[in-house]
């Protein structure tokens, strides 16, 4: 199974495929930050973004600058602590993430267009379990 997972990872991360999706969205430098905010469903502190991306805070601080200048995110006061700031995805940023996700999901839809509903379901259940179990194991404190 590992060779197949490795091959899938290689196919999905091929530079030209990723470039095509990023170009469709127009969000190259800020992709991870924007997707993290989109997935969160609301504004986050830089530290929360960093934790979700599994990187250090200064890395995220640098990555937030470009989409902020481009009007894809903005900083808002944290209602729980007025001294702190949150990074919020604005509608233009959400639209860009939507374009990216449609492109990527299109790859999967196209690749599986000839599959039956049963075949799709047969893949979905164990794949979802594998991702969930792997995520839980990786996220467990040592």
């Amino acid at each position: 199974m590992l060779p197949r997972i490795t091959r899938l990872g290689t196919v999905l991360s091929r530079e030209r495929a990723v470039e095509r999706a990023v170009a469709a969205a127009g969000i190259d430098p800020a992709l991870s930050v924007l997707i993290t905010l989109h997935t969160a469903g609301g504004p986050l502190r830089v530290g929360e973004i960093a934790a979700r991306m599994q990187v250090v805070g200064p890395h995220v601080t640098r990555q937030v600058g470009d989409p902020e200048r481009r009007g894809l995110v903005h900083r808002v006061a944290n209602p729980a602590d007025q001294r702190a700031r949150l990074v919020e995805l604005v509608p233009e940023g959400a639209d860009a993430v939507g374009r990216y996700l449609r492109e990527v999901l299109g790859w999967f839809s196209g690749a599986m267009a000839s599959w039956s509903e049963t075949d799709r379901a047969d893949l979905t259940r164990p794949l979802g379990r594998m991702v969930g179990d792997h995520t839980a194991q990786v996220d467990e404190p040592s």
Side-chain angles (χ1 to χ4, degrees), residues 99-116:
R99 289 189 302 273
Y100 174 81
L101 293 175
R102 281 190 298 279
E103 181 75 20
V104 171
L105 292 174
W107 301 340
F108 287 99
S109 296
M112 296 169 44
S114 65
W115 290 30
S116 69

Side-chain angles (χ1 to χ4, degrees), residues 9-59:
T10 301
V11 168
L12 294 176
S13 65
R14 280 189 185 144
E15 195 168 311
R16 68 179 178 269
V18 172
E19 283 178 0
R20 198 171 63 219
V22 169
I27 55 175
D28 185 22
L31 178 61
S32 296
V33 169
L34 297 179
I35 289 175
T36 300
L37 289 168
H38 173 78
T39 303
L44 298 172
R45 292 186 334 264
V46 167
E48 291 172 316
I49 296 170
R52 289 172 185 234
M53 291 173 54
Q54 299 180 340
V55 299
V56 295
H59 176 75

Side-chain angles (χ1 to χ4, degrees), residues 131-141:
V131 169
D133 291 349
H134 178 74
T135 301
Q137 183 177 10
V138 168
D139 289 346
E140 275 182 15

Side-chain angles (χ1 to χ4, degrees), residues 67-68 71-76 86-90:
E68 189 172 25
L72 302 174
V73 302
H74 67 261
R75 295 177 195 254
V76 296
L86 301 174
V87 180
E88 181 175 56
L89 191 62
V90 301

